[in-house]
Amino acid sequence: MPTIEEVAKLSHVSRSTVSRVINDDPNVNAGTRQRVKTVIQAINFQPNRAARRLAGGRARVLGLVVPVGVVRLFTDPYFPLLIQGITSACNANDLSVMLWLAEPEYERRMIGQIFQIGLIDGLIISSMLIDDPVIQALMCGNLPFVLIGRHPSDGPTNYVDADNLNSAKDAVTYLLRRGRQRVAAISGPQTMVAGLDRLEGYLAALRERALTADPDLIANGDFTEKGGYEAAQQLIPHKPDAIFASSDAMAIGALRALREAGVKVPDDVALVGFDDIPQAAHTEPPLTTVRQPIQRLGGTAVEALIDLIESPGSTPRRIVLPTELVIRASA
Amino acid sequence: MPTIEEVAKLSHVSRSTVSRVINDDPNVNAGTRQRVKTVIQAINFQPNRAARRLAGGRARVLGLVVPVGVVRLFTDPYFPLLIQGITSACNANDLSVMLWLAEPEYERRMIGQIFQIGLIDGLIISSMLIDDPVIQALMCGNLPFVLIGRHPSDGPTNYVDADNLNSAKDAVTYLLRRGRQRVAAISGPQTMVAGLDRLEGYLAALRERALTADPDLIANGDFTEKGGYEAAQQLIPHKPDAIFASSDAMAIGALRALREAGVKVPDDVALVGFDDIPQAAHTEPPLTTVRQPIQRLGGTAVEALIDLIESPGSTPRRIVLPTELVIRASA
DNA sequence: CTGAAAGCGCTTACAG
DNA sequence: CTGAAAGCGCTTACAG
């Protein structure tokens, strides 16, 4: 495995100069730079990341924390897509990814690892619970990090998020405009900001039309198919004529409950989901839903993090990406 | 961030001794060890992995290469489950995971990275093409690696695999025993060992009963739903009374083709899949299929790799995990 | 624009 | 059982 020392020898310069070339330091004579680059190519030199990091440079490695159990990981296409978006952006930027899937049993140890591992330049964290201790700890440390999904704290947290509130509001407004009178909501878990914001969007849409929210028309789900199914069962006796589900998985569960209850979609009850997962196009009837730019969310997070690593201490990055209401047959 | 130096100072020993304690070197006096451990606890010291690795020790980081595009990554629950199994085993062993999702455009660069990054102790690679250059390169290098899915080379490669050949053979034998006369196969891509082995199992089952394989009853798929759909369409005119599909995704595609052609499953055509993905239980009719222990595959790979890192140069590890034929309604 | 030197935080012979 | 020293492969002031 070639080292910087060998490159230096072969190109008749010092290690310092080779290091400058590697790091694109402008203070190198063009000819020298060319010579060094040729040697690097020739012997296929790649700087050792561990050494680089240790010496105070960048390892060019990002950490990614995905704190969900198996069930959601493979139930919900959100995560593969997100991981894909992140990986893709990292590849494009010559960065590697270190993945932590948080399992509750190991969470404490994981927190320790992530900080002190000394191996990563920054961290991306997806869908944390609002009061997750990891975020608290991170805010006290000095490792740059970007959240996927905004964090409600006042601190200078950096995040990238879909515009959950406004998309939910738009979706519900759409139902209202189409003449629906009793629009119900199946909310996501209120321990996650996405759950909170989507419900808030629902309420905002009602408020805008001076409608009062009916507690009987709001049922709690947990973003899963099963949760949506049960929530819909709870809702049906109260005769909604539309349901806004905070996730497609829950919408699909609701669809099942409605079918079982003999309720026609969209004739009796219009149904709108959130996410636009692949199955959404293949339900019966196909689901009208809010499309999140999941991969772009991941890519944008990587870019924000790179930015943050390169210019720390600048103003917090808080990026909100727009969504799109995909109208199919269910509403 | 505490360093080994501080631990040494606080416990009144040298850095060497602290290092020995960290690395469970038996040559440390019990009292000293206790004292050092107490200090480590007290200041929450975690050794810097980059430094450790650089100094010749272990970073306690494994690399994971998953060379598939988005489509398969989120179409196929195989990968999330595998990643989960690997992560889980790593957590249990205090190891971190570095993930590379190989995108074709970056594959060459990725290969370079993986070797020379100097950041990982070993590598797990899943579902490589048979002639993938990464494996060639890896065999020449000196980074310990374990394949998920066997490699047909003669070299001393280490792998963990499901028993694809025998499971496929058993599945087909099951169809034959139930009196099916014209058992067709939808094969996986023949550029992957799993595709190869499962087809080989099909052929072996026929051979065992002294039946000749009919080329018209073998159609090529690519492990996707679409591929299975098209393969089945190709098969139907040749009147099979059973189909063995090399993956559930393909079986689901075949089911759709059969339904569209008005062919009844299992009455007219019995259908067996492979994988036992979650949807398999919810098709109409529910799918009889071969269940792979995907998570265990991942966990076993981690253990084999740890083993390999700790005792390099020992005999190659080639572990084949048994599967299970899950009988539902389709055959 | 370039090089010599110190240092990042560890591990590992070596000597005792 | 323990410590002093060298070294892993880089980066980064510092001096020129």
Side-chain angles (χ1 to χ4, degrees), chain B residues 234-263:
Chain B
Q234 205 177 304
L235 251 20
I236 292 170
H238 298 98
K239 306 283 177 199
D241 61 5
I243 298 179
F244 165 68
S246 285
S247 81
D248 284 350
M250 296 197 298
I252 289 172
L255 212 47
R256 186 157 58 91
L258 290 165
R259 185 168 41 236
E260 287 178 14
V263 178

Side-chain angles (χ1 to χ4, degrees), chain B:
Chain B
M1 212 113 74
T3 68
I4 205 175
E5 186 71 31
E6 298 176 46
V7 177
K9 205 158 287 170
L10 288 170
S11 30
H12 307 289
V13 293
S14 69
R15 289 202 307 255
S16 317
T17 299
V18 177
S19 177
R20 286 185 194 106
V21 171
I22 297 168
N23 293 294
D24 281 327
D25 185 321
N27 293 328
V28 179
N29 171 56
T32 312
R33 180 188 306 277
Q34 195 44 61
R35 190 147 36 92
V36 173
K37 283 199 162 169
T38 308
V39 172
I40 287 176
Q41 285 275 323
I43 68 174
N44 189 24
F45 164 75
Q46 301 246 6
N48 178 306
R49 311 284 186 107
R52 231 173 164 175
R53 174 80 192 160
L54 187 57
R58 306 289 172 214
R60 300 204 68 83
V61 177
L62 302 186
L64 170 60
V65 178
V66 179
V68 294
V70 218
V71 181
R72 273 202 71 202
L73 192 67
F74 80 87
T75 279
D76 192 339
Y78 179 86
F79 295 100
L81 280 175
L82 187 69
I83 293 175
Q84 165 68 28
I86 289 171
T87 302
S88 185
C90 284
N91 279 344
N93 286 284
D94 193 21
L95 252 27
S96 298
V97 179
M98 211 141 147
L99 175 72
W100 283 276
L101 297 184
E103 299 178 280
E105 315 99 88
Y106 301 107
E107 183 153 337
R108 272 197 62 80
R109 188 201 291 164
M110 196 192 71
I111 299 176
Q113 274 191 0
I114 291 174
F115 281 101
Q116 307 197 357
I117 197 162
L119 226 42
I120 59 176
D121 303 327
L123 197 60
I124 293 175
I125 306 178
S126 99
S127 18
M128 275 288 167
L129 297 179
I130 286 171
D131 54 357
D132 199 292
V134 173
I135 296 189
Q136 295 302 323
L138 237 23
M139 296 207 298
C140 303
N142 58 352
L143 187 71
F145 71 99
V146 170
L147 302 175
I148 295 194
R150 71 179 190 85
H151 194 258
S153 94
D154 298 331
T157 52
N158 300 276
Y159 62 76
V160 175
D161 204 352
D163 192 348
N164 286 302
L165 198 154
N166 285 312
S167 340
K169 186 178 163 199
D170 291 350
V172 173
T173 299
Y174 168 79
L175 290 168
L176 261 15
R177 283 227 184 92
R178 307 271 296 198
R180 302 291 168 165
Q181 311 274 349
R182 295 181 55 75
V183 180
I186 298 178
S187 75
Q190 299 298 298
T191 48
M192 299 184 63
V193 188
L196 234 40
D197 285 355
R198 291 175 194 177
L199 179 58
E200 190 48 52
Y202 163 81
L203 296 172
L206 295 183
R207 215 178 301 126
E208 197 175 71
R209 304 220 146 195
L211 299 168
T212 353
D214 177 351
D216 285 341
L217 290 182
I218 301 179
N220 254 283
D222 56 358
F223 280 154
T224 70
E225 202 267 353
K226 183 159 173 288
Y229 176 78
E230 292 167 358
Q233 285 183 322
Q234 205 177 304
L235 251 20
I236 292 170
H238 298 98
K239 306 283 177 199
D241 61 5
I243 298 179
F244 165 68
S246 285
S247 81
D248 284 350
M250 296 197 298
I252 289 172
L255 212 47
R256 186 157 58 91
L258 290 165
R259 185 168 41 236
E260 287 178 14
V263 178
K264 297 240 174 305
V265 176
D267 301 349
D268 303 333
V269 171
L271 181 64
V272 174
F274 204 113
D275 288 337
D276 195 30
I277 64 179
Q279 295 106 287
H282 303 117
T283 53
E284 186 41 49
L287 201 59
T288 291
T289 186
V290 176
R291 176 182 296 160
Q292 290 199 77
I294 303 178
Q295 296 190 56
R296 257 189 66 211
L297 226 43
T300 307
V302 170
E303 282 152 24
L305 184 52
I306 292 174
D307 198 30
L308 190 64
I309 290 168
E310 280 168 4
S311 26
S314 42
T315 51
R317 281 119 189 114
R318 302 182 167 196
I319 304 171
V320 174
L321 262 30
T323 62
E324 182 188 349
L325 184 63
V326 181
I327 295 176
R328 297 203 180 90
S330 72

Side-chain angles (χ1 to χ4, degrees), chain A residues 169 172 198-208 211 213 218:
Chain A
K169 187 178 161 197
V172 173
R198 292 176 194 175
L199 179 59
E200 190 49 51
Y202 163 82
L203 296 172
L206 295 183
R207 215 179 299 125
E208 198 175 70
L211 299 169
I218 301 179

